[in-house]
Amino acid sequence: MEGYITDELKCHEVILSYSSELYSSDREMISGAEVYVVESNKYQDPGDTIYFYEEVNQPGHYFSDSMAGTKNRWFHLEARVQENTLYSSPLRMYADAKMPNNASGIDSIGLLPKRDGNNIPIVDDDAAVCVCPYFQTLSDKNIVYNVELYLNGSRFRNRPSKLFQLFQMQGYAGYYFNGPEMLDNNIPIPVGIMNKSYMKEGDLVKVKLYSISKDYLYFLIGQKLAIGVNPAMGAYPAIASNVFSNCNAIGWFAVTSEIEGEGVYHESIFELNDEE
């Protein structure tokens, strides 16, 4: 089971499928399930119920109506399957997660050249653009960001081996991110890097910072470590799950809050000035 809730106003998704063979890309989807999420102020209190409906052309994919979750609230995901291929009795899968807090927003995005050890912009084949957000962080040292970069509206994936970028705020909590009080030698800190060869003058770059729980952080790291494991080298690594069930289900119910910002790329950032 996979479930995703954010504080973005959109249709959210839950995916249900049966487990597949190790290293198999095929999986049987679960149709006809009753799926809903309950949002509440406290874990024990009843709250608003959000129902999910199966997409006609995507068996096993369930979507809510357009809605936005609320930071610091609990979400209970429930999925029930009456007719299934595992047992004669109904399947029940459920998970609970609290939406993490997040900063109020990103003020601006700086698109700056990657520099060498002498603080000179790199202009050869290794040239890259550093994506540097500017915003007031929260004092919470436990905040972790899952970073997504977009180029002209499309998800940017110039590093196929790097499926996601995780950025922990432990040493930066409470500072104005990339403000002068937190910089070393006035070098801004990027949350992502984009290869210059993919970019042209006037491109629009968007960064999304999803505040995630520490548990979800460990799940993502486990996913990354499990990709491409050679079975001859040992057992497949165990991956964490926050899903409970009466059928030994696994998966993750991710509840995140998001801030975003945009910047325009200019090729002139790689031009050397007189001081350099």
Side-chain angles (χ1 to χ4, degrees):
M1 180 168 74
E2 303 173 48
Y4 305 93
I5 294 287
T6 77
D7 61 347
E8 300 170 276
L9 182 60
K10 66 179 185 179
C11 298
H12 296 81
E13 184 178 17
V14 171
I15 304 172
L16 301 179
S17 67
Y18 294 104
S19 299
S20 60
E21 295 290 335
L22 191 63
Y23 298 109
S24 172
S25 59
D26 298 327
R27 57 177 176 172
E28 180 185 354
M29 308 306 293
I30 301 177
S31 291
E34 177 189 6
V35 181
Y36 60 90
V37 167
V38 178
E39 178 181 354
S40 60
N41 284 318
K42 294 183 179 180
Y43 178 76
Q44 298 86 354
D45 294 346
D48 298 331
T49 300
I50 303 118
Y51 291 94
F52 287 69
Y53 304 94
E54 188 170 14
E55 181 69 22
V56 175
N57 298 320
Q58 288 185 283
H61 292 256
Y62 300 79
F63 292 90
S64 70
D65 292 331
S66 183
M67 53 81 63
T70 306
K71 293 189 288 288
N72 297 315
R73 289 169 67 96
W74 280 94
F75 293 80
H76 172 80
L77 170 61
E78 187 91 18
R80 297 175 181 268
V81 187
Q82 296 295 325
E83 297 183 6
N84 60 86
T85 61
L86 291 180
Y87 306 112
S88 58
S89 58
L91 304 181
R92 180 186 178 228
M93 294 165 279
Y94 60 97
D96 296 283
K98 185 179 181 181
M99 183 174 288
N101 204 358
N102 205 337
S104 59
I106 296 176
D107 296 326
S108 62
I109 297 293
L111 301 176
L112 307 173
K114 185 178 180 182
R115 295 172 177 267
D116 60 19
N118 296 316
N119 202 24
I120 303 298
I122 299 173
V123 295
D124 57 17
D125 292 340
D126 294 325
V129 178
C130 297
V131 181
C132 304
Y134 295 82
F135 66 100
Q136 179 59 53
T137 71
L138 300 179
S139 58
D140 186 356
K141 296 181 180 180
N142 293 317
I143 287 180
V144 179
Y145 284 120
N146 190 13
V147 182
E148 290 185 355
L149 302 180
Y150 293 80
L151 181 61
N152 297 323
S154 298
R155 181 79 177 274
F156 188 77
R157 297 178 182 273
N158 65 301
R159 295 181 177 183
S161 63
K162 200 175 188 67
L163 298 183
F164 42 79
Q165 173 79 30
L166 299 171
F167 195 95
Q168 299 192 54
M169 294 296 297
Q170 289 178 344
Y172 308 114
Y175 286 103
Y176 187 86
F177 199 86
N178 278 322
E181 71 276 8
M182 68 167 282
L183 298 186
D184 183 19
N185 296 323
N186 293 320
I187 300 176
I189 299 171
V191 296
I193 297 177
M194 308 173 78
N195 292 346
K196 181 179 180 294
S197 60
Y198 286 81
M199 306 180 72
K200 63 182 184 301
E201 177 69 24
D203 278 347
L204 182 64
V205 175
K206 176 188 288 186
V207 58
K208 291 187 175 184
L209 300 181
Y210 288 92
S211 179
I212 66 176
S213 67
K214 282 292 184 69
D215 288 343
Y216 190 37
L217 164 68
Y218 300 140
F219 171 77
L220 291 175
I221 292 175
Q223 265 195 327
K224 183 178 180 181
L225 294 177
I227 293 174
V229 174
N230 186 341
M233 301 298 291
Y236 195 85
I239 297 179
S241 172
N242 68 346
V243 176
F244 296 88
S245 71
N246 61 354
C247 57
N248 297 320
I250 59 174
W252 198 269
F253 177 40
V255 178
T256 67
S257 57
E258 179 261 355
I259 55 176
E260 64 180 55
E262 293 180 337
V264 178
Y265 169 68
H266 296 291
E267 295 179 349
S268 59
I269 65 173
F270 287 94
E271 297 176 359
L272 298 178
N273 57 39
D274 294 337
E275 295 181 356
E276 297 173 326

